[in-house]
Amino acid sequence: MSPARVRLSRATPIAARIRAGDAQLALARGYDHNWIIDREGDGLAFAARLHDAASARVLDIETSEPGMQFYSGNFLDGSLRGAGGAMIRQGDGVCLEPQHYPDSPNRPEVPSTVLGRSETFRSSTVYRFGIA
């Protein structure tokens, strides 16, 4: 069975769905999911964009990896302090981690993570920051 494919075709605020009652989001206490990156051929492919409407800051990510793990700071518990001493709580941070699919070794239909003795692993990721 192939991994499920969910197309995110338009920008969606992270907060819009994080507490929407989805069973997988509830189990993980937020996002902790691996997304399949649509790509054509080898090389870099557009993987994700984060946009902060208040500041107009943008982060675009391109990668050679087949997937993107998206984690939404689900276990931040207020014990860390941020700018100005503010508590950092659940959902206050995000991680976007280009990588292979978590179950790749057990799924022959997805890109392999097996590296032979004489092979070299190569991966590229570009994080591009800007103003929208």
Side-chain angles (χ1 to χ4, degrees):
M1 179 165 98
S2 294
R5 289 184 181 258
V6 175
R7 180 174 289 279
L8 298 177
S9 58
R10 67 180 199 277
T12 303
I14 294 168
R17 296 183 184 164
I18 200 164
R19 303 282 178 251
D22 178 84
Q24 288 294 316
L25 291 174
L27 181 65
R29 298 176 64 188
Y31 287 98
D32 194 3
H33 297 74
N34 192 275
W35 300 95
I36 294 170
I37 298 169
D38 283 338
R39 63 173 48 257
E40 294 179 20
D42 294 331
L44 295 176
F46 177 77
R49 170 176 268 203
L50 290 179
H51 175 247
D52 176 48
S55 68
R57 289 179 294 189
V58 173
L59 167 62
D60 286 328
I61 302 174
E62 295 178 342
T63 185
S64 61
E65 291 297 311
M68 176 74 76
Q69 189 73 23
F70 171 42
Y71 175 70
S72 58
N74 309 344
F75 293 93
L76 295 171
D77 62 4
S79 61
L80 298 174
R81 301 278 177 180
M87 289 190 317
I88 302 174
R89 299 164 302 173
Q90 181 183 13
D92 283 351
V94 297
C95 297
L96 293 171
E97 307 163 12
Q99 62 184 33
H100 275 67
Y101 313 134
D103 199 23
S104 291
N106 301 307
R107 305 195 83 158
E109 73 275 14
V110 302
S112 177
T113 55
V114 175
L115 192 63
R117 186 178 287 232
S118 63
E119 295 178 300
T120 301
F121 174 76
R122 295 196 195 292
S123 177
S124 297
T125 299
V126 174
Y127 296 91
R128 191 168 289 115
F129 297 88
I131 302 293

